[in-house]
């Protein structure tokens, strides 16, 4: 504390050097962090994957299953049954098939109270349990499939349901299981899985009164791991392993390695982020390919949205992945359900060998390919360099503030012949500004229900239109607030607000990085260079003032979200006209806003909460600094 409160602390050589070279040092740190991050995609800067848990070693497993014939029978029966229920799930048929296999069969009813219009939606999951003959139901493994009706907009999962039933029939005859195996078919995608997990663990993950999980009539042991299956055809060309979970959580790296090893062992083409490993002789091409794969994972993880039903298991300490199989699209070699079944069998049997929960290997990592990884000890350093530039900026402003205050006090002391005259900071004004900015962010975070109610009752708007109009109004209000009211205040007050905002941003990024590194990284890369340019200033304009205004407006949380969605729309529809792209982007923005709010209420995704309650107040504080006209203190 002495370093922060004693003005004489600024007389050290190191501190003088930092103050003298502040801007070049911050620039070097930022660029150095970016370069370091890009270098991590090179094989020389990352490591090859390996098994940390010997019990998972797949070489010990002798595979016995042949599920192709049985899967085809179940598939054709299921397709016939699906035609009878084009919009729903054939509960009776699934329950009957599980019962014929002599499993413990249960159904699970759940409901969703739509938070904006008080509408109620219902759903049902069906699951069967193979009890472990060599244990007393203390541990369990889940094999799940999301059921999709014929009229679903998503890819078909009927082959996965058929494979699950065939594998359940195989497992029922084996006597070596040491863990219960739960075969789960869920309805309504991630909604059904979240309801089942909440009911299984007796908790409510989202807001109270939104997702009514109900009760389970049958349970197994403590779930150790889960495999979610999404095969879209009886013959597939490749299997993509999905790992990203809710709020950026990842499964233990050993589970990912196990799946990739088993897929390769069966001669099936494997991928990650829908990208196949390519060995380029040219090192530049090799680096560029691995860097694109790495950035694809970072972009996916940063959203906090699970890439499959597996992503909802992670919050309960359950390691889970999704295996997604795609149809042949070119000249690829096809794999049938004999090979796919052996992949599933080997993974489940390896998990059955575990004597304890996953605890070795890594839970925090990035993947540039299917067989290489970057551990947290490597990827945190580039982010720390980038964030360090913000801390140095805050420290430099504070030291200059201390120096200027000391000089001013000494002048006044000599003038008035008094040693007790000290120019104090306007702490009340500073505290009020920081408090109101954060109160505004919290109010915006809690406002969607109110906005929807006002929009529907006063203007007869739909939910997405009400939310979009409300947040557009908030964005315009925050942009025009300081433009219409330029305040003149002390330089010291503006400087301290800038210091507080900088420290808060840097601290928030470090906290977020410990849970979702990708979100913190992308936020830092975008925000830090503009923040380094924002300084308390005189009333006169500077060379970079207009650039700062334009850049900071573009970095308004809701403006940035709109730009990202518009860019994503362009990438997916590059041949559309400009007007068509704008209309698509407008509709996509409305839907993305609604989905983000719904995810926070139902699943506990905190992307919306962080954006409104953390990033928006910080944005407002810097916006106030930019529009505050302050006179420089006399030197």
């Amino acid at each position: 504390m002495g370093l922060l409160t004693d003005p004489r602390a600024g007389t050290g050589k190191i501190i003088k050097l930092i103050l003298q070279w502040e801007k070049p040092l911050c620039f070097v740190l930022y660029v150095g962090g970016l370069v370091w991050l890009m270098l991590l995609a090179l094989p020389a800067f990352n490591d090859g994957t390996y098994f940390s848990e010997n019990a998972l070693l797949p070489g010990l497993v002798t595979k016995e299953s042949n599920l192709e014939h049985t899967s085809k029978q179940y598939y054709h029966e299921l397709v016939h049954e699906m035609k009878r229920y084009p919009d729903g799930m054939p509960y009776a048929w699934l329950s009957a098939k599980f019962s014929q296999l002599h499993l413990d069969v249960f159904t699970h009813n759940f409901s969703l109270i739509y938070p904006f219009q008080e509408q109620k939606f219902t759903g049902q999951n069906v699951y069967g349990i193979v009890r472990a003959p060599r244990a007393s139901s203390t541990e369990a493994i889940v094999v799940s499939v999301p059921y999709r009706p014929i009229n679903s907009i998503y890819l078909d999962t009927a082959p996965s349901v058929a494979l699950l039933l065939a594998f359940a029939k195989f497992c029922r005859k084996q006597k070596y299981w040491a863990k219960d195996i739960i075969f789960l078919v869920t309805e309504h995608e991630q909604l059904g899985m979240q309801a089942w997990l909440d009911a299984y663990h007796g908790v409510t993950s989202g807001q109270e009164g939104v997702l009514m999980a109900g009760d389970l009539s049958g349970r197994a042991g403590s779930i150790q791991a889960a495999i979610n299956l999404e095969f879209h055809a009886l013959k597939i060309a490749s299997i993509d392993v999905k790992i990203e979970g809710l709020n950026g959580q990842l499964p233990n790296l050993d589970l990912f390695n196990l799946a990739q090893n088993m897929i390769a062992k069966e001669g099936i083409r494997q991928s990650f982020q829908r990208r196949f490993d390519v060995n380029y002789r040219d090192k530049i091409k090799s680096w560029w390919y691995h860097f694109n794969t790495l950035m694809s994972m970072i972009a996916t993880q940063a959203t906090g949205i699970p890439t499959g039903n597996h992503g909802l298991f992670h919050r309960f300490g359950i390691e889970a992945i999704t295996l997604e199989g795609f149809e042949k699209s070119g000249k690829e070699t096809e794999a049938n359900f004999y090979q796919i079944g052996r992949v599933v069998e080997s993974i489940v049997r390896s998990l059955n060998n575990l004597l304890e929960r996953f605890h070795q290997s890594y839970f925090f990592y990035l993947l540039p390919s299917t067989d290489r990884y970057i551990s947290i000890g490597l990827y945190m350093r580039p982010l720390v360099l980038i964030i360090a530039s913000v801390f140095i900026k805050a420290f430099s402003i504070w030291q200059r503030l201390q120096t200027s205050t000391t000089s001013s006090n000494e002048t006044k002391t000599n003038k008035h012949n008094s040693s007790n005259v000290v120019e104090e900071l306007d702490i009340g004004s500073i505290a009020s500004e920081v408090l109101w900015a954060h109160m505004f962010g919290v109010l915006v975070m809690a406002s969607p229900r109110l906005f929807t109610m006002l929009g529907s009752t006063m203007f007869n708007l739909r939910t997405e239109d009400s939310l979009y109009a409300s947040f557009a109004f908030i964005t315009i209000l925050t942009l025009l607030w300081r433009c219409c009211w330029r305040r003149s205040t002390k330089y010291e007050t503006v400087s301290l607000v800038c210091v507080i905002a900088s420290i808060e941003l840097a601290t928030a990024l470090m906290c977020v990085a410990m849970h979702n590194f990708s979100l913190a990284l992308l936020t830092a890369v975008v925000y830090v260079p503009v923040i380094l340019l924002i300084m308390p200033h005189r009333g006169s304009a500077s060379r970079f003032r207009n650039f700062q205004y334009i850049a900071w407006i573009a970095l308004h949380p809701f403006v940035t979200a709109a730009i990202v969605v518009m860019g994503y729309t362009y990438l997916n529809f590059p041949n559309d006209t400009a007007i068509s792209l704008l209309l698509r982007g407008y509709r996509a923005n409305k839907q993305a806003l609604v989905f983000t709010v719904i995810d926070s209420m139902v699943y506990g995704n905190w992307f919306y909460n962080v954006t409104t309650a953390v990033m928006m107040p910080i944005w407002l504080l810097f916006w106030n600094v930019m529009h505050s006209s302050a006179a420089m203190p006399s030197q």
Side-chain angles (χ1 to χ4, degrees):
M1 289 300 293
L3 182 63
L4 297 177
T5 56
D6 187 358
R8 294 172 297 175
T11 60
K13 292 183 179 179
I14 296 180
I15 295 177
K16 285 183 177 179
L17 188 64
I18 291 176
L19 294 178
Q20 182 180 0
W21 297 96
E22 172 203 349
K23 291 183 179 180
L25 178 59
C26 291
F27 175 79
V28 169
L29 288 174
Y30 177 78
V31 175
L34 291 181
V35 173
W36 196 339
L37 178 69
M38 296 170 69
L39 290 176
L40 289 178
L42 286 172
F45 290 85
N46 51 54
D47 300 298
T49 57
Y50 61 93
F51 283 97
S52 297
E53 178 56 71
N54 291 333
L56 290 174
L57 290 177
L60 301 179
V61 176
T62 302
K63 287 162 281 194
E64 303 171 355
S65 65
N66 186 350
L67 309 182
E68 184 174 15
H69 179 68
T70 309
S71 298
K72 286 183 178 180
Q73 286 184 331
Y74 281 128
Y75 176 74
H76 294 304
E77 292 181 28
L78 177 59
V79 170
H80 176 74
E81 197 71 20
M82 290 173 68
K83 293 178 181 178
R84 298 176 56 192
Y85 305 94
D87 297 316
M89 183 166 140
Y91 313 108
W93 184 86
L94 288 169
S95 298
K97 292 302 176 184
F98 279 138
S99 298
Q100 290 172 8
L101 298 177
H102 304 289
L103 274 63
D104 294 344
V105 186
F106 307 95
T107 57
H108 167 233
N109 298 306
F110 62 93
S111 59
L112 173 71
I113 308 298
Y114 191 63
F116 298 129
Q117 296 176 352
E118 296 300 328
Q119 292 179 319
K120 186 175 182 179
F121 302 90
T122 60
Q124 191 176 72
N125 302 319
V126 179
Y127 62 104
I129 304 175
V130 173
R131 301 293 180 181
R134 295 191 174 186
S136 56
S137 294
T138 56
E139 296 179 340
I141 302 169
V142 173
V143 181
S144 66
V145 173
Y147 178 83
R148 294 169 184 168
I150 293 178
N151 294 341
S152 174
I153 62 174
Y154 302 105
L155 294 175
D156 182 27
T157 56
S160 300
V161 177
L163 178 65
L164 180 139
L165 291 171
F167 185 58
K169 183 177 181 179
F170 166 79
C171 293
R172 183 67 181 82
K173 300 176 182 179
Q174 310 307 317
K175 302 299 181 183
Y176 47 67
W177 299 116
K179 296 177 174 62
D180 295 342
I181 304 178
I182 304 172
F183 297 94
L184 171 64
V185 181
T186 61
E187 191 176 18
H188 300 317
E189 299 295 325
Q190 296 179 10
L191 196 64
M193 180 60 76
Q194 184 63 63
W196 190 85
L197 285 170
D198 282 357
Y200 196 92
H201 295 91
V203 300
T204 301
S205 298
Q207 292 185 6
E208 294 286 345
V210 178
L211 180 60
M212 315 302 291
D215 298 317
L216 294 183
S217 52
R219 283 182 172 82
S222 174
I223 301 174
Q224 306 295 299
I227 306 297
N228 185 57
L229 306 178
E230 293 184 16
F231 297 106
H232 307 306
L234 291 177
K235 290 186 176 181
I236 63 170
S238 63
I239 297 179
D240 190 68
V241 182
K242 296 182 176 182
I243 59 175
E244 294 84 3
L246 184 70
N247 295 326
Q249 286 187 271
L250 301 172
N252 189 278
L253 186 57
D254 270 347
L255 182 57
F256 175 82
N257 295 339
L258 173 64
Q260 294 288 2
N261 192 297
M262 288 296 92
I263 295 169
K265 194 171 184 180
E266 292 301 322
I268 304 175
R269 199 176 186 192
Q270 61 202 88
S271 66
F272 174 66
Q273 294 292 329
R274 297 296 308 275
R275 296 172 63 85
F276 305 101
D277 289 348
V278 180
N279 296 320
Y280 289 103
R281 292 185 178 180
D282 189 336
K283 292 185 178 180
I284 300 297
K285 289 184 178 180
S286 178
W287 167 81
W288 180 245
Y289 183 84
H290 289 107
F291 179 72
N292 283 332
T293 305
L294 175 63
M295 292 308 298
S296 179
M297 177 184 178
I298 289 175
T300 303
Q301 186 186 23
T303 64
I305 301 174
T307 52
N309 282 1
H310 71 278
L312 301 173
F313 284 88
H314 300 156
R315 63 148 47 104
F316 299 98
I318 302 169
E319 311 310 315
I321 58 173
T322 288
L323 303 180
E324 185 172 15
F326 296 93
E327 284 188 273
K328 180 179 179 181
S329 59
K331 298 182 179 179
E332 303 98 340
T333 303
E334 288 183 325
N336 55 30
F337 266 27
Y338 169 72
Q339 297 164 278
I340 300 170
R342 289 165 70 91
V343 170
V344 176
E345 179 201 355
S346 57
I347 293 175
V348 175
R349 290 188 62 181
S350 295
L351 294 173
N352 186 62
N353 293 338
L354 284 177
L355 301 178
E356 53 192 343
R357 284 185 175 272
F358 284 89
H359 66 282
Q360 301 193 66
S361 194
Y362 293 92
F363 292 91
F364 301 94
Y365 53 87
L366 296 175
L367 299 174
S369 65
T370 61
D371 59 353
R372 303 199 69 83
Y373 76 100
I374 303 168
S375 70
I376 186 173
L378 296 176
Y379 69 64
M380 281 297 290
R381 299 173 188 177
L383 180 61
V384 169
L385 284 183
I386 296 173
I387 295 177
S389 63
V390 181
F391 278 117
I392 288 177
K393 176 202 169 180
F395 177 76
S396 300
I397 296 175
W398 174 258
Q399 284 298 325
R400 291 193 179 95
L401 182 62
Q402 291 286 321
T403 304
S404 63
T405 303
T406 303
S407 301
S408 176
N409 290 340
E410 289 176 355
T411 302
K412 292 182 180 180
T413 300
N414 294 333
K415 183 176 181 179
H416 299 286
N417 295 321
S418 173
S419 60
N420 297 319
V421 179
V422 178
E423 182 180 350
E424 297 182 355
L425 295 170
D426 191 355
I427 300 299
S429 176
I430 297 171
S432 176
E433 185 170 333
V434 174
L435 177 62
W436 279 110
H438 287 80
M439 286 181 62
F440 180 76
V442 172
L443 289 175
V444 172
M445 180 183 68
S447 63
R449 292 193 189 215
L450 176 62
F451 290 157
T452 304
M453 182 187 68
L454 293 176
S456 60
T457 56
M458 298 178 62
F459 304 102
N460 196 27
L461 296 176
R462 296 180 303 173
T463 297
E464 59 181 24
D465 293 323
S466 299
L467 287 178
Y468 189 81
S470 300
F471 282 101
F473 174 76
I474 290 175
T475 302
I476 294 173
L477 180 65
T478 53
L479 291 175
L480 296 180
W481 179 254
R482 285 302 183 188
C483 294
C484 298
W485 177 44
R486 287 177 175 268
R487 66 172 186 171
S488 180
T489 186
K490 297 178 182 178
Y491 171 80
E492 291 81 0
T493 301
V494 180
S495 298
L496 191 53
V497 171
C498 188
V499 170
I500 292 173
S502 299
I503 293 177
E504 182 180 3
L505 174 69
T507 305
L509 290 177
M510 289 300 298
C511 293
V512 172
M514 298 305 297
H515 198 80
N516 188 342
F517 168 81
S518 299
L519 178 59
L521 175 67
L522 293 182
T523 304
V525 168
V526 173
Y527 275 80
V528 167
V530 181
I531 286 175
L532 294 178
L533 298 177
I534 299 176
M535 299 289 289
H537 56 79
R538 294 178 181 268
S540 58
S542 64
R543 291 180 299 171
F544 301 103
R545 184 63 48 77
N546 292 333
F547 168 77
Q548 291 177 24
Y549 286 154
I550 295 173
W552 199 242
I553 289 173
L555 292 180
H556 188 287
F558 297 122
V559 176
T560 302
I563 294 173
V564 171
V565 172
M566 190 64 69
Y568 184 78
T569 303
Y570 173 76
L571 291 176
N572 284 274
F573 305 95
N575 298 324
D576 283 12
T577 62
I579 296 178
S580 177
L581 283 173
L582 288 174
L583 291 175
R584 284 183 183 273
Y586 169 69
R587 291 192 294 266
N589 267 296
K590 293 194 297 183
Q591 294 173 358
L593 179 59
V594 174
F595 290 153
T596 303
V597 176
I598 291 295
D599 282 353
S600 70
M601 293 180 173
V602 177
Y603 304 107
N605 187 332
W606 42 257
F607 183 84
Y608 170 76
N609 298 25
V610 170
T611 301
T612 53
V614 179
M615 293 308 300
M616 180 173 285
I618 293 174
W619 187 93
L620 282 172
L621 291 176
F622 279 112
W623 188 243
N624 292 347
V625 170
M626 294 173 66
H627 284 81
S628 296
S629 178
M632 292 291 290
S634 57
Q635 298 296 332

